[in-house]
Amino acid sequence: MMDTPEKTRTSSSLSKFEDSPVFNYINSLSPIKPVKSVHVTQTFNPLSFASLPSIFTSPHVSSHKESRFLKRSTDPSKPELSSADGTKVSTNEEAGVDIRESFDTRVSLGEVSFELPNEPSRIAIELPQTSKYVCGSSKCDPAPCVIEMNCVSESTCTSLAIVPFVQEASQKGLCDGVEVAATFQIEQNRETIGCEWENLISDTSDLLIFNSPNDSEAFRDAIQKSLEPGTRFFSTLISQFPEDDINEYKDQNEGTGELNEINHVNESFEDNNVRNFVSASLTDYMETRMSAPYSMKPGSNLHRGFRRRCLDFEMLAARRKSLDGSSNTNSSVDSELEPGKPSGDSSRCIVPGIGLHLNALATASRDNKNSKLETLLSGTQKLIFPCSTTSNTLAADQETAHESFLASASTETETNDVENGVQLSEDASQASAYFINEEFNQNSPKKKIRRLEQAGESEACKRCNCKKSKCLKLYCECFAAGVYCIEPCSCQDCFNKPIHEDTVLATRKQIESRNPLAFAPKVIRTSDPIPEVGDELTTTPASARHKRGCNCKKSNCLKKYCECFQGGVGCSINCRCEGCKNAFGLKDGSAIVEAEEEEEEETKKILNTEPAALPTTPLQLCRPLPFSSIGSSSAMYTGNKYGKPNIIRPQSIMEKRFQSVAGDETPEILRANSSPGTGIKTLSPNTKRISPPECELGSTSGGARSGRKLILQSIPSFPSLTPKH
DNA sequence: GAGTTTGAAACT
DNA sequence: CAGTTTCAAACTC
């Protein structure tokens, strides 16, 4: 669909890769001696390593993947999908064969890597990558998630984020060869990969999602293997080596603990020890990351959350379907899936973003020790953190961290892949991500807890108080957010519960039929509009905008009555508000900005001079802000929490970096491609190469139009904030 | 906690 | 599409 400039780009790196021993080895794995077509090699190249630039960089791949995978996720029953180009995506069962097919068809790297000849290997590979999204599950080591988040946020974090793992692995006695390979890979790609790692993650996540619940066993297994941060990476690498080699390594290192540990995890995943281990790992890792240069910061990982947010409703339905057709009988999973089960109500209700976080807290307080959450590992689609899953032995701070992590992870893992595969909610995820990041920044565990609790109780959690709507209308915040009501809700006659799944789904459909965007994020993050800087979008002062705009008459857009304000975004031309004084951006300001956007310099001046709008615009113009954190109704809390519009508040380093890369590289296109909810994916490293460097946005004002058109076309589900186009 | 205000959602 | 009603959150006391 899109031009893939990366092809040329990849070709150069390709030759290098081909020469590498690893490449040769990979080739040896495949019975097929493919004629080295450029395409094949290109795709293959990225394949073998975690960070493979070419695949991710290609918009084509992204788009391709998007549609294909989303569909797949929605239909778990389907053993395999056929991509638009006929590429076959194999399920675990077919992993052995598909690799060739993938190569032949030039499937994206991620796919290829997943489809290694032997299933175990494939799983191992997949897991590490997918685990990022899975982290939310109690059974998964959060650390990987953290890493991923960093990577995502960090435009160029690829090597940085990965290296630590490698080092860690080495310290733990992992195979030297593996380490070397990983490191080498990282170094090799560092310069060129950019954000590709991020894409990889996205891709893998998709794959993960695609895995039907039927694969839950394998999936779980893989997750277990990835529990340990070092292990995770290790697993990935391992997957690329022959089993014999691995076994050999095992024999040689018997008793060293690393592999044993992994095995142990696999064997006793349910065991408290494992849980403790995971929690401890998480805590340790988090501490490490906090002090690290790229430690999470507010809004840093927003992008990941965008597309990960899942509507519980759909999830449930999907899982149900899968269950019907499968023999998956994992009790924990089943219980979770079982709509009627009481435990499900509270635990299973995934509140997007902050809400999720709050739920976690609530659950934790309720049943701290044996949270059902940990059972939530449901296949690939919905992975829920053990909200309180932290083992009883965990220290308070650990718990907090864990919870925070859970919230973030769950958010991330959540997928909105619904029936249409398009609907993606991002706001909540963004908000949660932001929130979590902030929390992590808190030095004091107790403070963290307090903050979390406060946030959760006051704003984070989606709790409704519906009296008449039965929580089946958009009046209900829970319903509107795509989550089931939970215990903390004070609703009456609530039908928004798993028990009434059918009703919920039917109602939802009905509402969507009326308004397809009804469940879409109300606030669209900045990054989406950014490309439009040159266009109407720029007119609005706020980097993010409300989908429909507000209609405030008396609140002057200064209270939460105003959805724009609530979402932490400025009013836009779409707003019909009266007497707008929105601190995040005046509706009127937009006009000013618009007029002057023609000239970057002018705009900058304007920004500097204009109080409300100014803060937002400047950033916008120069580069896309991963506004995500502020992006949604739920997100708005975070925005408010920090008191100032996203624009205004200092962005985290990571965020900035991300922006620089993303914005400069016109990832927007990809974003558009992927539904708005797919913030992560949207970022395309490719754009880097494609588009000219620096401040593309600003410069694009003139030439951005073409790019913008692309965006508009590609994003059907999310109407552009600026209806003009 | 009760009552009021507000604006989105739903309805006509 | 506009006007009205319903609704629940946000806000105030």
Side-chain angles (χ1 to χ4, degrees):
Chain A
M1 53 176 269
M2 298 184 189
D3 290 346
T4 59
E6 25 312 316
K7 285 183 180 180
T8 57
R9 174 174 51 75
T10 55
S11 63
S12 63
S13 64
L14 177 61
S15 60
K16 287 182 180 179
F17 185 83
E18 290 176 353
D19 293 340
S20 74
V22 175
F23 182 81
N24 292 335
Y25 175 76
I26 293 169
N27 279 338
S28 67
L29 291 176
S30 173
I32 295 174
K33 298 296 179 184
V35 177
K36 282 191 180 181
S37 69
V38 173
H39 291 298
V40 171
T41 54
Q42 288 176 349
T43 56
F44 186 70
N45 174 10
L47 157 60
S48 55
F49 295 93
S51 59
L52 298 177
S54 60
I55 289 173
F56 302 106
T57 57
S58 168
H60 168 70
V61 172
S62 298
S63 63
H64 175 52
K65 153 197 74 180
E66 189 77 27
S67 61
R68 175 175 50 189
F69 291 151
L70 290 175
K71 285 181 179 179
R72 181 164 192 164
S73 65
T74 58
D75 187 359
S77 62
K78 269 190 180 179
E80 62 180 321
L81 288 183
S82 295
S83 64
D85 62 358
T87 300
K88 188 191 216 170
V89 177
S90 67
T91 60
N92 291 341
E93 298 82 350
E94 308 179 45
V97 177
D98 290 337
I99 188 169
R100 294 157 213 160
E101 293 177 354
S102 297
F103 285 167
D104 291 345
T105 56
R106 290 183 282 140
V107 176
S108 69
L109 171 56
E111 293 173 354
V112 174
S113 63
F114 291 142
E115 296 167 358
L116 293 178
N118 67 52
E119 185 169 346
S121 297
R122 175 179 175 275
I123 293 169
I125 294 169
E126 182 175 348
L127 221 34
Q129 295 171 346
T130 56
S131 63
K132 300 152 189 174
Y133 294 93
V134 175
C135 294
S137 91
S138 60
K139 299 177 181 179
C140 173
D141 185 346
C145 284
V146 173
I147 292 167
E148 295 305 330
M149 292 166 73
N150 289 335
C151 288
V152 171
S153 308
E154 191 74 27
S155 62
T156 59
C157 65
T158 303
S159 61
L160 293 174
I162 297 169
V163 170
F165 282 105
V166 174
Q167 292 174 345
E168 184 177 1
S170 66
Q171 292 174 355
K172 293 182 178 180
L174 291 178
C175 176
D176 291 341
V178 173
E179 292 177 28
V180 172
T183 304
F184 174 78
Q185 181 69 22
I186 292 166
E187 293 299 332
Q188 191 175 30
N189 294 315
R190 175 176 290 185
E191 295 301 324
T192 58
I193 291 170
C195 287
E196 291 163 1
W197 176 255
E198 179 179 346
N199 284 346
L200 174 62
I201 294 169
S202 298
D203 289 355
T204 57
S205 69
D206 285 347
L207 290 175
L208 173 61
I209 293 168
F210 303 155
N211 286 339
S212 68
N214 294 334
D215 299 336
S216 62
E217 289 295 329
F219 180 75
R220 222 178 352 258
D221 189 40
I223 290 170
Q224 292 172 10
K225 289 180 179 177
S226 65
L227 285 175
E228 207 276 334
T231 302
R232 172 175 155 280
F233 195 76
F234 177 67
S235 299
T236 303
L237 294 174
I238 278 180
S239 62
Q240 300 170 11
F241 291 84
E243 284 190 345
D244 292 344
D245 292 351
I246 295 171
N247 291 335
E248 186 176 339
Y249 175 79
K250 277 186 178 180
D251 294 340
Q252 292 175 352
N253 294 277
E254 197 114 9
T256 54
E258 200 59 26
L259 291 174
N260 288 341
E261 191 169 10
I262 296 170
N263 290 335
H264 174 69
V265 172
N266 291 337
E267 294 171 359
S268 60
F269 197 52
E270 298 296 334
D271 193 284
N272 275 342
N273 291 334
V274 174
R275 259 177 255 138
N276 291 340
F277 171 76
V278 171
S279 298
S281 297
L282 172 61
T283 302
D284 291 342
Y285 185 76
M286 290 188 63
E287 288 177 3
T288 301
R289 297 302 300 176
M290 306 257 296
S291 61
Y294 297 102
S295 61
M296 291 185 297
K297 298 195 176 181
S300 63
N301 63 340
L302 304 176
H303 298 285
R304 291 194 66 227
F306 292 153
R307 74 183 299 267
R308 290 295 135 201
R309 180 185 177 210
C310 73
L311 294 179
D312 207 42
F313 304 150
E314 280 93 2
M315 299 282 294
L316 179 60
R319 273 180 289 161
R320 256 195 171 188
K321 289 178 182 177
S322 67
L323 287 176
D324 292 344
S326 72
S327 62
N328 180 349
T329 58
N330 180 301
S331 60
S332 63
V333 172
D334 287 348
S335 65
E336 193 55 27
L337 294 174
E338 214 40 67
K341 293 198 177 180
S343 63
D345 271 357
S346 60
S347 63
R348 82 185 306 294
C349 176
I350 300 175
V351 179
I354 293 172
L356 172 62
H357 178 76
L358 192 145
N359 284 343
L361 290 175
T363 303
S365 63
R366 257 201 313 281
D367 60 356
N368 212 356
K369 297 177 181 179
N370 297 325
S371 170
K372 303 280 182 178
L373 293 179
E374 56 189 33
T375 65
L376 288 183
L377 189 67
S378 68
T380 57
Q381 288 196 348
K382 177 181 174 183
L383 298 177
I384 301 171
F385 279 103
C387 292
S388 33
T389 67
T390 49
S391 70
N392 23 9
T393 61
L394 292 176
D397 59 327
Q398 286 176 325
E399 246 182 287
T400 302
H402 196 168
E403 289 173 358
S404 298
F405 175 77
L406 290 177
S408 69
S410 63
T411 299
E412 308 258 357
T413 56
E414 287 178 7
T415 62
N416 241 6
D417 303 333
V418 190
E419 295 161 323
N420 58 11
V422 174
Q423 185 160 18
L424 300 173
S425 301
E426 59 181 338
D427 51 349
S429 301
Q430 295 173 354
S432 71
Y434 183 78
F435 176 78
I436 291 166
N437 287 340
E438 280 296 313
E439 295 301 334
F440 282 131
N441 287 336
Q442 303 299 318
N443 292 333
S444 168
K446 291 183 179 179
K447 282 185 179 179
K448 283 194 240 173
I449 294 171
R450 238 179 265 130
R451 287 172 59 93
L452 289 173
E453 289 176 351
Q454 290 176 355
E457 291 178 1
S458 63
E459 24 189 64
C461 180
K462 289 259 184 227
R463 287 187 286 178
C464 68
N465 192 32
C466 306
K467 302 269 191 306
K468 299 180 179 178
S469 68
K470 299 179 198 252
C471 298
L472 288 178
K473 294 189 176 180
L474 291 175
Y475 296 129
C476 176
E477 287 195 355
C478 298
F479 181 79
V483 299
Y484 288 117
C485 291
I486 57 175
E487 222 173 278
C489 293
S490 301
C491 45
Q492 300 173 4
D493 299 328
C494 178
F495 276 73
N496 185 27
K497 293 185 175 178
I499 300 174
H500 302 104
E501 174 199 353
D502 295 340
T503 302
V504 171
L505 291 174
T507 305
R508 184 186 169 86
K509 274 191 177 181
Q510 183 182 351
I511 294 171
E512 283 182 330
S513 67
R514 225 184 300 147
N515 176 17
L517 298 176
F519 294 94
K522 290 181 178 177
V523 174
I524 300 175
R525 62 186 167 130
T526 343
S527 55
D528 290 338
I530 290 169
E532 302 170 335
V533 168
D535 297 344
E536 305 75 19
L537 290 181
T538 55
T539 62
T540 62
S543 41
R545 294 171 186 76
H546 192 276
K547 182 174 63 181
R548 275 174 302 109
C550 66
N551 192 33
C552 305
K553 303 285 189 236
K554 299 179 179 179
S555 68
N556 298 126
C557 303
L558 286 175
K559 296 188 177 180
K560 282 189 172 181
Y561 295 128
C562 174
E563 290 196 349
C564 295
F565 181 87
Q566 193 175 43
V569 301
C571 290
S572 67
I573 53 176
N574 292 331
C575 297
R576 289 134 290 164
C577 49
E578 299 176 0
C580 177
K581 295 178 182 177
N582 190 335
F584 295 94
L586 297 175
K587 168 180 156 189
D588 296 344
S590 66
I592 296 169
V593 174
E594 184 177 4
E596 306 200 350
E597 269 184 357
E598 299 286 334
E599 305 177 60
E600 293 179 359
E601 306 260 323
E602 291 294 330
T603 47
K604 288 181 181 178
K605 291 179 181 178
I606 294 169
L607 294 175
N608 291 333
T609 57
E610 263 205 22
L614 291 181
T616 62
T617 9
L619 292 177
Q620 250 182 332
L621 293 177
C622 292
R623 48 184 66 182
L625 290 180
F627 237 27
S628 16
S629 59
I630 297 178
S632 64
S633 58
S634 58
M636 73 178 151
Y637 288 106
T638 52
N640 290 342
K641 185 175 185 175
Y642 298 96
K644 301 229 168 186
N646 312 337
I647 303 161
I648 295 171
R649 83 169 181 270
Q651 293 176 327
S652 67
I653 295 170
M654 295 183 66
E655 190 175 18
K656 285 181 180 178
R657 289 190 177 191
F658 187 85
Q659 287 177 355
S660 65
V661 172
D664 293 348
E665 326 221 301
T666 59
E668 319 309 330
I669 295 169
L670 291 179
R671 291 176 187 168
N673 229 357
S674 54
S675 59
T678 63
I680 297 171
K681 281 188 175 182
T682 54
L683 276 185
S684 106
N686 301 339
T687 49
K688 216 179 198 177
R689 296 149 193 160
I690 296 169
S691 62
E694 286 309 39
C695 276
E696 201 170 25
L697 293 177
S699 64
T700 52
S701 55
R705 308 225 168 206
S706 61
R708 188 177 179 205
K709 286 181 180 178
L710 292 175
I711 295 166
L712 293 174
Q713 291 174 350
S714 60
I715 308 175
S717 57
F718 289 84
S720 116
L721 293 177
T722 60
K724 292 177 181 179
H725 289 279

